Amino acid sequence: QDVIRLLERGLAKKVLEAENIQLREALKLYELSEHISNSLSVERIYDLLIDTAREELNADGVGLWTKDPLTGQFEGQRRWMRSDLDSSHLEIMSSIHVDRLYEEHDGGNHIFHGVDAREMVSASGESLFSLLSVPLRIKNEVIGYFAAFAFERHVVFSEGKRKMLAVLCGRASAAIENARLYGDLKDTFKQTIQAFANLLEDKDPLAAMVRY
């Protein structure tokens, strides 16, 4: 009976430790998502996503691609990789087939390993071991992709990490939309003020004489 009680206490302690770890991760995820949601700078949102992936995913490199509203093409916006990696790894990150992520793989929300991961990049991607990609969406439209890369260290991205990144990218997408709406509102406000100023000048004879 003493051995049983000792084992029960040990198991209960392990369960409590696991719950505490999950709680800390959930709290950190919430704090990060709040920082993202409260930002009205698109550039700041991108930086927060990059920093989060560096710390939480244990990735060798991360990249962010955004869609050009004029051409509709995805372009590399931000990249980061470990300082001990070389130009060949940067080439792998730069040559990802972003269009295939969306067209062939359910919007790009996936984890790829081994050969499947290397198929997502050019022929130079032999050292790529694992690839995690999550789309950024605004009103069901994909506006960008966030991808994490694991090379020769054989880091395997878990389903839990994918879900965490999906939550952050969802909050980031909403924050990007708010930032764009804020920018449009600010531009409209400036145009309105300028229109009023021009109207007042037109009604002021002295101002009109000075202007002409």
Side-chain angles (χ1 to χ4, degrees), residues 36 42 45-46 49 63-67 74 77 98 102 107-109 133-147 165-177 180:
I36 290 175
V42 174
I45 295 169
Y46 292 160
L49 280 175
L64 177 65
W65 288 258
T66 54
K67 181 186 288 187
F74 291 100
Q77 186 78 16
V98 181
Y102 179 68
N109 197 338
S133 71
V134 174
L136 284 79
R137 301 176 185 270
I138 293 180
K139 297 178 180 178
N140 295 324
E141 178 189 358
V142 176
I143 63 166
Y145 283 100
F146 193 89
L165 189 59
V167 170
L168 286 177
C169 286
R171 297 297 294 271
S173 299
I176 290 171
E177 183 179 21
R180 290 179 176 178

Side-chain angles (χ1 to χ4, degrees), residues 111-127:
I111 303 173
F112 305 94
H113 300 301
V115 175
D116 292 335
R118 289 189 286 274
E119 285 181 352
M120 292 295 106
V121 300
S122 66
S124 63
E126 289 302 320
S127 64

Side-chain angles (χ1 to χ4, degrees), residues 14 47-48 92 102 106 115 118 167 169 183 186 209:
K14 286 295 183 182
D47 290 339
L48 285 171
I92 293 172
Y102 179 68
D106 189 28
V115 175
R118 289 189 286 274
V167 170
C169 286
K186 185 166 64 173
M209 291 176 60

Side-chain angles (χ1 to χ4, degrees), residues 50-51 53-55 58-64 78-83 85 90 93 147 149 151 153:
I50 294 290
D51 292 342
R54 290 173 56 184
E55 295 177 6
N58 196 27
D60 294 325
V62 293
L64 177 65
R78 293 280 192 281
R79 292 188 185 91
W80 170 88
M81 68 179 189
R82 288 180 13 236
S83 58
L85 299 180
L90 180 60
M93 293 173 56
F149 300 81
F151 296 109
R153 290 194 303 162

Side-chain angles (χ1 to χ4, degrees), residues 197-212:
N198 293 339
L199 181 62
L200 290 174
E201 286 185 357
D202 290 339
K203 290 187 175 182
D204 185 348
L206 181 59
M209 291 176 60
V210 171
R211 185 172 58 183
Y212 292 107

Side-chain angles (χ1 to χ4, degrees), residues 3 22 29 40 50 79 82 99 109 132 155 192:
V3 172
Q22 292 176 354
L29 177 61
L40 288 175
I50 294 290
R79 292 188 185 91
R82 288 180 13 236
D99 54 342
N109 197 338
L132 166 61
V155 174
T192 303

